[in-house]
Coordinates of all heavy atoms in Angstrom, one line a residue:
M1 N -3.4 -16.7 21.5 CA -4.8 -16.6 21.2 C -5.0 -17.0 19.7 O -4.3 -16.5 18.9 CB -5.3 -15.2 21.5 CG -6.8 -15.1 21.5 SD -7.3 -13.6 22.3 CE -7.4 -14.1 24.0
T2 N -5.9 -17.8 19.4 CA -6.2 -18.2 18.0 C -7.3 -17.4 17.4 O -8.1 -16.8 18.1 CB -6.4 -19.7 17.9 OG1 -7.7 -19.9 18.6 CG2 -5.3 -20.5 18.5
A3 N -7.5 -17.6 16.1 CA -8.5 -16.9 15.4 C -9.9 -17.4 15.8 O -10.9 -16.7 15.5 CB -8.3 -17.1 13.9
E4 N -10.0 -18.6 16.4 CA -11.3 -19.1 16.7 C -11.9 -18.5 18.0 O -13.1 -18.6 18.2 CB -11.2 -20.7 17.0 CG -10.9 -21.5 15.8 CD -9.5 -21.8 15.6 OE1 -8.8 -22.1 16.6 OE2 -9.0 -21.7 14.5
T5 N -11.1 -17.7 18.7 CA -11.6 -17.1 19.9 C -12.4 -15.9 19.5 O -12.4 -15.5 18.4 CB -10.4 -16.7 20.9 OG1 -9.6 -15.8 20.2 CG2 -9.6 -17.9 21.3
S6 N -13.0 -15.2 20.5 CA -13.9 -14.1 20.2 C -13.1 -12.8 19.9 O -13.6 -11.8 19.4 CB -14.8 -13.8 21.4 OG -14.0 -13.6 22.6
T7 N -11.8 -12.8 20.2 CA -11.0 -11.6 19.9 C -10.6 -11.6 18.4 O -10.2 -12.6 17.9 CB -9.6 -11.7 20.7 OG1 -10.0 -11.8 22.1 CG2 -8.8 -10.4 20.4
P8 N -10.9 -10.5 17.7 CA -10.6 -10.4 16.3 C -9.1 -10.7 16.0 O -8.2 -10.2 16.8 CB -11.0 -9.0 15.9 CG -11.8 -8.5 17.0 CD -11.5 -9.3 18.2
A9 N -8.8 -11.4 14.9 CA -7.4 -11.7 14.6 C -6.6 -10.4 14.3 O -5.4 -10.4 14.6 CB -7.4 -12.6 13.4
T10 N -7.2 -9.4 13.8 CA -6.5 -8.2 13.4 C -6.0 -7.4 14.7 O -5.1 -6.7 14.6 CB -7.4 -7.3 12.6 OG1 -8.6 -7.0 13.3 CG2 -7.6 -7.9 11.2
E11 N -6.7 -7.7 15.8 CA -6.3 -7.0 17.0 C -4.9 -7.4 17.5 O -4.2 -6.6 18.0 CB -7.3 -7.3 18.1 CG -7.3 -6.4 19.3 CD -8.4 -6.7 20.3 OE1 -9.6 -6.4 19.9 OE2 -8.1 -7.2 21.4
N12 N -4.5 -8.6 17.2 CA -3.2 -9.1 17.6 C -2.2 -9.1 16.5 O -1.1 -9.5 16.6 CB -3.3 -10.5 18.2 CG -4.1 -10.5 19.5 OD1 -4.0 -9.6 20.3 ND2 -4.8 -11.6 19.8
A13 N -2.7 -8.7 15.3 CA -1.8 -8.8 14.1 C -0.7 -7.7 14.2 O -1.0 -6.6 14.7 CB -2.6 -8.6 12.8
D14 N 0.4 -8.0 13.6 CA 1.5 -7.1 13.6 C 1.2 -6.0 12.5 O 1.1 -6.3 11.4 CB 2.8 -7.8 13.2 CG 4.0 -6.9 13.2 OD1 3.9 -5.7 13.4 OD2 5.1 -7.5 13.0
P15 N 1.1 -4.7 12.9 CA 0.8 -3.7 12.0 C 1.9 -3.4 11.0 O 1.7 -2.7 10.0 CB 0.6 -2.4 12.8 CG 1.3 -2.7 14.1 CD 1.3 -4.2 14.3
R16 N 3.1 -4.0 11.2 CA 4.2 -3.8 10.3 C 4.5 -5.1 9.4 O 5.4 -5.1 8.6 CB 5.5 -3.5 11.1 CG 5.4 -2.2 11.8 CD 6.5 -1.8 12.7 NE 7.8 -1.9 12.1 CZ 8.4 -0.8 11.5 NH1 7.8 0.3 11.3 NH2 9.6 -1.0 11.0
A17 N 3.5 -6.0 9.5 CA 3.6 -7.2 8.6 C 3.1 -6.9 7.2 O 2.2 -6.1 7.1 CB 2.8 -8.4 9.2
L18 N 3.6 -7.6 6.2 CA 3.2 -7.4 4.9 C 1.9 -8.2 4.6 O 2.0 -9.3 4.2 CB 4.3 -7.8 3.9 CG 4.0 -7.6 2.4 CD1 3.5 -6.2 2.1 CD2 5.2 -8.0 1.6
T19 N 0.8 -7.5 4.9 CA -0.5 -8.1 4.6 C -1.3 -7.1 3.8 O -1.0 -5.9 3.8 CB -1.2 -8.4 5.9 OG1 -1.5 -7.2 6.6 CG2 -0.4 -9.3 6.8
L20 N -2.3 -7.6 3.1 CA -3.2 -6.7 2.4 C -3.8 -5.6 3.3 O -3.9 -4.5 2.9 CB -4.3 -7.5 1.6 CG -5.2 -6.7 0.7 CD1 -4.5 -5.9 -0.3 CD2 -6.2 -7.6 0.1
D21 N -4.3 -6.0 4.4 CA -4.9 -5.1 5.4 C -3.9 -4.0 5.7 O -4.3 -2.8 5.8 CB -5.4 -5.8 6.6 CG -6.7 -6.6 6.4 OD1 -7.3 -6.4 5.4 OD2 -7.0 -7.4 7.3
N22 N -2.7 -4.3 6.0 CA -1.7 -3.3 6.4 C -1.3 -2.4 5.2 O -1.1 -1.2 5.4 CB -0.5 -3.9 7.0 CG -0.7 -4.5 8.4 OD1 -1.7 -4.2 9.0 ND2 0.1 -5.4 8.8
V23 N -1.2 -3.0 4.0 CA -1.0 -2.2 2.9 C -2.1 -1.2 2.6 O -1.9 0.0 2.4 CB -0.7 -3.1 1.6 CG1 -0.7 -2.2 0.3 CG2 0.6 -3.8 1.8
E24 N -3.3 -1.7 2.7 CA -4.5 -0.8 2.5 C -4.6 0.3 3.5 O -4.9 1.4 3.2 CB -5.8 -1.6 2.5 CG -6.0 -2.5 1.3 CD -6.4 -1.7 0.0 OE1 -6.6 -0.5 0.1 OE2 -6.4 -2.3 -1.1
R25 N -4.3 -0.1 4.8 CA -4.3 0.9 5.9 C -3.3 2.0 5.6 O -3.6 3.2 5.8 CB -4.0 0.2 7.2 CG -3.9 1.2 8.4 CD -3.5 0.5 9.7 NE -2.5 -0.5 9.6 CZ -1.2 -0.2 9.5 NH1 -0.8 1.0 9.5 NH2 -0.3 -1.2 9.4
T26 N -2.1 1.7 5.1 CA -1.1 2.6 4.8 C -1.5 3.5 3.6 O -1.3 4.7 3.6 CB 0.3 2.0 4.6 OG1 0.6 1.2 5.7 CG2 1.4 3.0 4.3
L27 N -2.0 2.9 2.6 CA -2.5 3.6 1.4 C -3.6 4.5 1.8 O -3.7 5.6 1.2 CB -2.9 2.6 0.3 CG -1.7 1.9 -0.3 CD1 -2.3 0.9 -1.4 CD2 -0.7 2.8 -0.9
D28 N -4.5 4.2 2.7 CA -5.6 5.0 3.1 C -5.1 6.4 3.7 O -5.8 7.4 3.6 CB -6.4 4.3 4.2 CG -7.4 3.3 3.6 OD1 -7.6 3.3 2.4 OD2 -7.9 2.5 4.4
E29 N -3.8 6.4 4.2 CA -3.3 7.6 4.7 C -2.9 8.5 3.5 O -2.8 9.8 3.6 CB -2.0 7.3 5.5 CG -2.4 6.6 6.8 CD -1.1 6.2 7.6 OE1 0.0 6.8 7.4 OE2 -1.2 5.3 8.4
L30 N -2.5 7.9 2.4 CA -2.1 8.7 1.2 C -3.3 9.1 0.3 O -3.1 10.0 -0.5 CB -1.1 7.9 0.4 CG 0.2 7.5 1.1 CD1 1.0 6.6 0.2 CD2 1.0 8.8 1.3
R31 N -4.3 8.3 0.3 CA -5.4 8.5 -0.6 C -6.0 9.9 -0.7 O -6.3 10.4 -1.8 CB -6.5 7.5 -0.4 CG -6.2 6.1 -1.0 CD -7.3 5.2 -1.0 NE -7.0 4.0 -1.7 CZ -6.6 2.8 -1.1 NH1 -6.6 2.7 0.2 NH2 -6.3 1.8 -1.9
P32 N -6.2 10.6 0.4 CA -6.7 12.0 0.4 C -5.8 12.9 -0.5 O -6.4 13.8 -1.2 CB -6.7 12.5 1.8 CG -6.8 11.2 2.6 CD -6.0 10.2 1.8
Y33 N -4.5 12.7 -0.5 CA -3.6 13.5 -1.3 C -3.8 13.2 -2.8 O -3.8 14.1 -3.7 CB -2.2 13.4 -0.9 CG -2.0 13.7 0.6 CD1 -1.8 12.7 1.5 CD2 -2.0 15.0 1.0 CE1 -1.7 13.0 2.9 CE2 -1.8 15.3 2.4 CZ -1.7 14.3 3.3 OH -1.5 14.6 4.6
L34 N -3.9 11.9 -3.1 CA -4.1 11.5 -4.5 C -5.4 11.9 -5.0 O -5.6 12.4 -6.1 CB -4.0 9.9 -4.6 CG -2.6 9.3 -4.2 CD1 -2.7 7.8 -4.1 CD2 -1.5 9.8 -5.1
M35 N -6.5 11.8 -4.2 CA -7.8 12.2 -4.6 C -7.9 13.7 -4.8 O -8.7 14.1 -5.7 CB -8.8 11.7 -3.6 CG -9.0 10.2 -3.6 SD -10.2 9.7 -2.2 CE -10.2 8.0 -2.5
A36 N -7.2 14.5 -4.0 CA -7.2 15.9 -4.2 C -6.7 16.3 -5.6 O -7.1 17.4 -6.1 CB -6.3 16.6 -3.2
D37 N -5.9 15.5 -6.2 CA -5.4 15.7 -7.6 C -6.2 14.9 -8.6 O -5.7 14.7 -9.8 CB -3.9 15.4 -7.7 CG -3.0 16.4 -6.9 OD1 -3.5 17.6 -6.9 OD2 -2.0 16.0 -6.5
G38 N -7.3 14.3 -8.2 CA -8.1 13.5 -9.2 C -7.7 12.1 -9.4 O -8.1 11.5 -10.4
G39 N -6.9 11.5 -8.5 CA -6.5 10.2 -8.7 C -6.7 9.3 -7.5 O -7.4 9.7 -6.5
N40 N -6.2 8.1 -7.6 CA -6.3 7.1 -6.5 C -5.3 6.0 -6.8 O -4.6 6.0 -7.8 CB -7.7 6.5 -6.4 CG -8.0 6.0 -5.0 OD1 -7.2 5.8 -4.2 ND2 -9.3 5.7 -4.8
V41 N -5.2 5.0 -5.9 CA -4.4 3.9 -6.0 C -5.1 2.6 -5.6 O -5.9 2.6 -4.7 CB -3.0 4.0 -5.3 CG1 -3.3 4.1 -3.8 CG2 -2.1 2.9 -5.6
E42 N -4.9 1.5 -6.4 CA -5.5 0.3 -6.1 C -4.4 -0.8 -6.0 O -3.6 -0.9 -6.8 CB -6.5 -0.1 -7.2 CG -7.0 -1.5 -7.2 CD -7.6 -1.9 -8.6 OE1 -7.4 -1.2 -9.6 OE2 -8.4 -2.9 -8.6
V43 N -4.5 -1.6 -4.9 CA -3.6 -2.8 -4.8 C -4.1 -3.9 -5.7 O -5.3 -4.3 -5.7 CB -3.6 -3.3 -3.3 CG1 -2.6 -4.5 -3.3 CG2 -3.1 -2.2 -2.4
V44 N -3.2 -4.3 -6.6 CA -3.6 -5.4 -7.6 C -3.1 -6.7 -7.0 O -3.9 -7.7 -7.1 CB -2.9 -5.1 -8.9 CG1 -3.1 -6.3 -9.9 CG2 -3.4 -3.8 -9.5
E45 N -1.9 -6.8 -6.4 CA -1.4 -8.1 -6.0 C -0.2 -7.8 -5.1 O 0.5 -6.8 -5.2 CB -0.9 -8.8 -7.2 CG -0.3 -10.2 -6.9 CD 0.2 -10.9 -8.2 OE1 0.3 -10.3 -9.3 OE2 0.6 -12.1 -8.1
I46 N 0.0 -8.7 -4.1 CA 1.2 -8.7 -3.3 C 2.0 -10.0 -3.7 O 1.5 -11.1 -3.5 CB 0.9 -8.7 -1.8 CG1 0.2 -7.4 -1.4 CG2 2.2 -8.8 -1.0 CD1 -0.2 -7.3 0.0
D47 N 3.1 -9.8 -4.3 CA 3.9 -10.9 -4.9 C 5.2 -11.0 -4.1 O 6.2 -10.3 -4.4 CB 4.2 -10.7 -6.4 CG 4.9 -11.9 -7.0 OD1 5.0 -12.9 -6.4 OD2 5.3 -11.7 -8.2
G48 N 5.2 -11.8 -3.0 CA 6.4 -11.8 -2.1 C 6.6 -10.4 -1.5 O 5.6 -9.9 -1.0
P49 N 7.8 -9.8 -1.6 CA 8.0 -8.5 -1.0 C 7.6 -7.4 -2.0 O 7.9 -6.2 -1.7 CB 9.5 -8.5 -0.7 CG 10.1 -9.4 -1.8 CD 9.0 -10.5 -2.1
I50 N 7.0 -7.7 -3.1 CA 6.7 -6.7 -4.1 C 5.2 -6.4 -4.1 O 4.4 -7.3 -4.2 CB 7.1 -7.1 -5.5 CG1 8.6 -7.3 -5.5 CG2 6.7 -6.1 -6.6 CD1 9.2 -8.0 -6.8
V51 N 4.8 -5.1 -4.0 CA 3.4 -4.7 -4.0 C 3.1 -4.1 -5.4 O 3.8 -3.2 -5.8 CB 3.1 -3.7 -2.9 CG1 1.7 -3.2 -2.9 CG2 3.5 -4.2 -1.5
K52 N 2.2 -4.7 -6.0 CA 1.8 -4.2 -7.4 C 0.5 -3.4 -7.2 O -0.5 -3.9 -6.6 CB 1.5 -5.4 -8.3 CG 2.8 -6.2 -8.5 CD 2.6 -7.4 -9.4 CE 3.9 -8.2 -9.6 NZ 3.7 -9.4 -10.5
V53 N 0.6 -2.2 -7.8 CA -0.5 -1.3 -7.7 C -0.9 -0.7 -9.0 O -0.1 -0.8 -10.0 CB -0.2 -0.1 -6.7 CG1 0.1 -0.6 -5.3 CG2 0.9 0.8 -7.3
R54 N -2.1 -0.2 -9.1 CA -2.6 0.5 -10.3 C -3.0 1.9 -9.9 O -3.8 2.1 -9.0 CB -3.8 -0.3 -10.9 CG -4.4 0.4 -12.2 CD -5.5 -0.5 -12.8 NE -5.0 -1.8 -13.2 CZ -5.4 -3.0 -12.7 NH1 -6.3 -3.0 -11.8 NH2 -4.9 -4.1 -13.2
L55 N -2.3 2.8 -10.6 CA -2.7 4.2 -10.3 C -3.9 4.5 -11.2 O -4.0 4.1 -12.3 CB -1.6 5.2 -10.7 CG -0.3 5.0 -9.9 CD1 0.8 5.9 -10.4 CD2 -0.6 5.3 -8.4
Q56 N -4.9 5.2 -10.6 CA -6.2 5.4 -11.2 C -6.5 6.9 -11.4 O -5.8 7.8 -10.8 CB -7.3 4.8 -10.3 CG -7.2 3.4 -10.1 CD -8.2 2.8 -9.1 OE1 -8.6 3.5 -8.1 NE2 -8.7 1.6 -9.4
G57 N -7.4 7.2 -12.3 CA -7.8 8.6 -12.5 C -6.7 9.4 -13.1 O -5.9 8.9 -13.9
A58 N -6.5 10.6 -12.6 CA -5.5 11.5 -13.1 C -4.1 11.0 -12.8 O -3.2 11.3 -13.6 CB -5.7 12.9 -12.5
C59 N -3.9 10.2 -11.8 CA -2.6 9.6 -11.4 C -2.1 8.7 -12.5 O -0.9 8.5 -12.7 CB -2.7 9.0 -10.1 SG -2.8 10.1 -8.7
G60 N -3.0 8.0 -13.2 CA -2.6 7.0 -14.2 C -2.0 7.6 -15.4 O -1.1 6.9 -16.0
S61 N -2.3 8.8 -15.7 CA -1.7 9.4 -16.9 C -0.9 10.6 -16.6 O -0.4 11.3 -17.5 CB -2.9 9.9 -17.8 OG -3.7 10.8 -17.2
C62 N -0.7 10.9 -15.4 CA 0.1 12.1 -15.0 C 1.6 11.9 -15.3 O 2.2 10.8 -15.1 CB 0.0 12.3 -13.5 SG 1.0 13.7 -12.8
P63 N 2.3 12.9 -15.8 CA 3.7 12.8 -16.1 C 4.5 12.6 -14.8 O 5.6 12.1 -14.9 CB 4.1 14.2 -16.7 CG 2.8 14.8 -17.1 CD 1.7 14.2 -16.3
S64 N 4.0 13.0 -13.7 CA 4.7 12.8 -12.4 C 4.4 11.5 -11.7 O 4.7 11.3 -10.6 CB 4.4 13.9 -11.5 OG 4.8 15.2 -12.0
S65 N 3.7 10.6 -12.4 CA 3.2 9.3 -11.8 C 4.3 8.5 -11.3 O 4.2 7.8 -10.2 CB 2.3 8.5 -12.7 OG 3.0 8.1 -13.8
T66 N 5.5 8.5 -12.0 CA 6.6 7.7 -11.5 C 7.1 8.2 -10.2 O 7.5 7.5 -9.3 CB 7.7 7.6 -12.5 OG1 7.2 7.1 -13.7 CG2 8.9 6.8 -12.1
M67 N 7.2 9.5 -10.1 CA 7.6 10.2 -8.8 C 6.6 9.9 -7.7 O 7.0 9.6 -6.6 CB 7.8 11.7 -9.1 CG 8.4 12.4 -7.9 SD 10.1 12.0 -7.5 CE 10.9 12.9 -8.8
T68 N 5.4 10.0 -8.0 CA 4.3 9.7 -7.0 C 4.5 8.3 -6.6 O 4.4 8.0 -5.4 CB 2.9 9.9 -7.6 OG1 2.8 11.2 -8.0 CG2 1.8 9.5 -6.7
L69 N 4.7 7.3 -7.5 CA 4.8 5.9 -7.1 C 6.0 5.7 -6.3 O 5.9 5.0 -5.2 CB 4.9 5.1 -8.4 CG 4.9 3.6 -8.2 CD1 3.6 3.1 -7.7 CD2 5.3 2.9 -9.5
K70 N 7.2 6.1 -6.7 CA 8.4 5.8 -6.0 C 8.7 6.6 -4.7 O 9.0 6.1 -3.7 CB 9.6 5.9 -6.9 CG 9.6 4.9 -8.0 CD 9.8 3.5 -7.5 CE 9.7 2.4 -8.5 NZ 9.8 1.1 -8.0
M71 N 8.5 7.9 -4.9 CA 8.9 8.8 -3.7 C 7.7 9.0 -2.8 O 7.9 9.4 -1.6 CB 9.3 10.2 -4.3 CG 10.6 10.1 -5.1 SD 12.0 9.3 -4.3 CE 12.3 10.5 -3.0
G72 N 6.5 8.7 -3.2 CA 5.3 8.8 -2.3 C 4.9 7.5 -1.8 O 5.1 7.1 -0.6
I73 N 4.3 6.7 -2.7 CA 3.7 5.4 -2.3 C 4.7 4.4 -1.8 O 4.5 3.9 -0.7 CB 2.8 4.9 -3.5 CG1 1.7 5.8 -3.8 CG2 2.3 3.5 -3.2 CD1 0.9 5.5 -5.1
E74 N 5.7 4.2 -2.6 CA 6.7 3.2 -2.2 C 7.4 3.6 -0.9 O 7.6 2.8 0.0 CB 7.8 3.0 -3.3 CG 8.8 1.9 -2.9 CD 9.8 1.6 -4.0 OE1 9.5 0.8 -4.9 OE2 10.9 2.2 -4.1
R75 N 7.8 4.8 -0.8 CA 8.5 5.3 0.4 C 7.6 5.1 1.6 O 8.1 4.6 2.7 CB 8.9 6.8 0.2 CG 9.6 7.4 1.3 CD 10.0 8.8 1.0 NE 10.7 9.4 2.1 CZ 10.8 10.7 2.3 NH1 10.4 11.5 1.3 NH2 11.4 11.2 3.3
K76 N 6.4 5.5 1.6 CA 5.5 5.4 2.7 C 5.3 3.9 3.1 O 5.3 3.6 4.3 CB 4.1 6.1 2.4 CG 3.1 6.0 3.5 CD 3.5 6.9 4.6 CE 2.4 7.0 5.6 NZ 2.8 7.8 6.8
L77 N 5.1 3.1 2.1 CA 4.9 1.6 2.4 C 6.1 1.0 3.0 O 6.0 0.2 3.9 CB 4.5 0.9 1.1 CG 3.0 1.0 0.7 CD1 2.8 0.4 -0.7 CD2 2.1 0.4 1.7
R78 N 7.3 1.4 2.5 CA 8.5 0.8 3.0 C 8.8 1.3 4.5 O 9.3 0.5 5.3 CB 9.7 1.1 2.1 CG 9.6 0.4 0.8 CD 10.7 0.7 -0.1 NE 11.9 -0.1 0.3 CZ 13.1 0.0 -0.2 NH1 13.2 0.8 -1.3 NH2 14.1 -0.7 0.2
E79 N 8.4 2.5 4.8 CA 8.5 3.0 6.1 C 7.6 2.3 7.1 O 8.0 1.9 8.2 CB 8.2 4.5 6.2 CG 9.3 5.4 5.7 CD 8.9 6.8 5.6 OE1 7.8 7.2 6.1 OE2 9.7 7.6 5.1
A80 N 6.3 2.1 6.6 CA 5.3 1.4 7.5 C 5.5 -0.1 7.6 O 5.2 -0.7 8.6 CB 3.9 1.8 7.0
I81 N 5.9 -0.7 6.5 CA 6.0 -2.1 6.4 C 7.4 -2.5 5.8 O 7.6 -2.5 4.6 CB 4.9 -2.7 5.5 CG1 3.5 -2.2 5.9 CG2 5.0 -4.2 5.4 CD1 2.4 -2.5 5.0
P82 N 8.4 -2.7 6.7 CA 9.8 -2.9 6.3 C 10.0 -4.1 5.3 O 10.9 -4.1 4.5 CB 10.5 -3.2 7.6 CG 9.7 -2.5 8.6 CD 8.3 -2.7 8.2
E83 N 9.1 -5.0 5.3 CA 9.2 -6.2 4.4 C 9.0 -5.8 2.9 O 9.4 -6.6 2.1 CB 8.2 -7.2 4.9 CG 8.4 -8.6 4.3 CD 7.3 -9.6 4.8 OE1 6.8 -9.4 5.9 OE2 7.1 -10.6 4.1
V84 N 8.4 -4.7 2.7 CA 8.1 -4.3 1.3 C 9.5 -3.9 0.7 O 10.2 -3.1 1.2 CB 7.2 -3.0 1.2 CG1 7.1 -2.5 -0.2 CG2 5.8 -3.4 1.7
A85 N 9.8 -4.6 -0.4 CA 11.1 -4.3 -1.2 C 10.9 -3.3 -2.3 O 11.7 -2.5 -2.6 CB 11.6 -5.6 -1.7
E86 N 9.7 -3.4 -2.9 CA 9.5 -2.5 -4.1 C 8.0 -2.4 -4.3 O 7.2 -3.3 -4.0 CB 10.1 -3.1 -5.3 CG 10.1 -2.3 -6.5 CD 10.8 -2.9 -7.7 OE1 11.1 -4.1 -7.7 OE2 11.0 -2.1 -8.7
V87 N 7.6 -1.3 -4.9 CA 6.2 -1.1 -5.3 C 6.3 -0.8 -6.8 O 7.1 0.0 -7.3 CB 5.5 0.1 -4.6 CG1 4.1 0.4 -5.2 CG2 5.5 -0.1 -3.1
V88 N 5.5 -1.6 -7.6 CA 5.5 -1.5 -9.1 C 4.1 -1.2 -9.6 O 3.2 -1.6 -9.0 CB 6.1 -2.7 -9.8 CG1 7.6 -2.9 -9.4 CG2 5.3 -4.0 -9.4
Q89 N 4.1 -0.4 -10.7 CA 2.8 -0.1 -11.3 C 2.5 -1.1 -12.3 O 3.3 -1.5 -13.2 CB 2.9 1.3 -11.9 CG 1.6 1.7 -12.5 CD 1.6 3.1 -13.1 OE1 2.6 3.8 -12.9 NE2 0.6 3.6 -13.7
V90 N 1.2 -1.6 -12.3 CA 0.7 -2.4 -13.4 C -0.4 -1.7 -14.1 O -1.0 -0.8 -13.5 CB 0.2 -3.8 -12.9 CG1 1.4 -4.6 -12.3 CG2 -0.9 -3.6 -11.9
L91 N -0.6 -2.0 -15.4 CA -1.6 -1.3 -16.1 C -2.8 -2.1 -16.3 O -2.9 -3.2 -16.1 CB -1.0 -0.9 -17.5 CG 0.2 0.0 -17.4 CD1 0.7 0.3 -18.8 CD2 -0.1 1.3 -16.7

């Protein structure tokens, strides 16, 4: 089935593929926890297997932001989307 048909393309899309929609969907699962601490995360760019994000609010200046990025965000994205090799923070 092609994108020109009446069926939405996302309906047949692989939920484990490295796409912006899938990254955002996975991050949406984490956002309530980040927001509870006064922060958030924004996808800046997907560069091959590397997802570049910007930590916002309290998360951007938190001393534990590296732990949040690697053990929280990167771990969750790699579990949900195996193609993700690394998540890096950009300022």
Side-chain angles (χ1 to χ4, degrees):
M1 190 165 275
T2 63
E4 290 96 41
T5 63
S6 60
T7 303
T10 55
E11 196 172 291
N12 294 327
D14 181 357
R16 295 174 55 87
L18 180 52
T19 65
L20 181 58
D21 284 344
N22 288 343
V23 169
E24 288 288 353
R25 177 184 41 80
T26 303
L27 291 177
D28 283 346
E29 296 174 21
L30 297 174
R31 283 191 171 101
Y33 303 104
L34 298 171
M35 289 177 179
D37 288 331
N40 202 349
V41 63
E42 168 192 18
V43 178
V44 175
E45 179 183 12
I46 298 175
D47 184 11
I50 299 171
V51 178
K52 297 180 181 181
V53 299
R54 181 175 295 118
L55 295 177
Q56 301 174 322
C59 289
S61 60
C62 176
S64 299
S65 64
T66 301
M67 185 68 76
T68 298
L69 183 71
K70 293 296 178 183
M71 297 305 295
I73 297 170
E74 181 176 274
R75 183 175 175 199
K76 181 71 172 173
L77 282 172
R78 291 179 77 182
E79 285 174 5
I81 306 167
E83 193 178 339
V84 172
E86 185 179 15
V87 176
V88 296
Q89 181 177 357
V90 297
L91 302 176

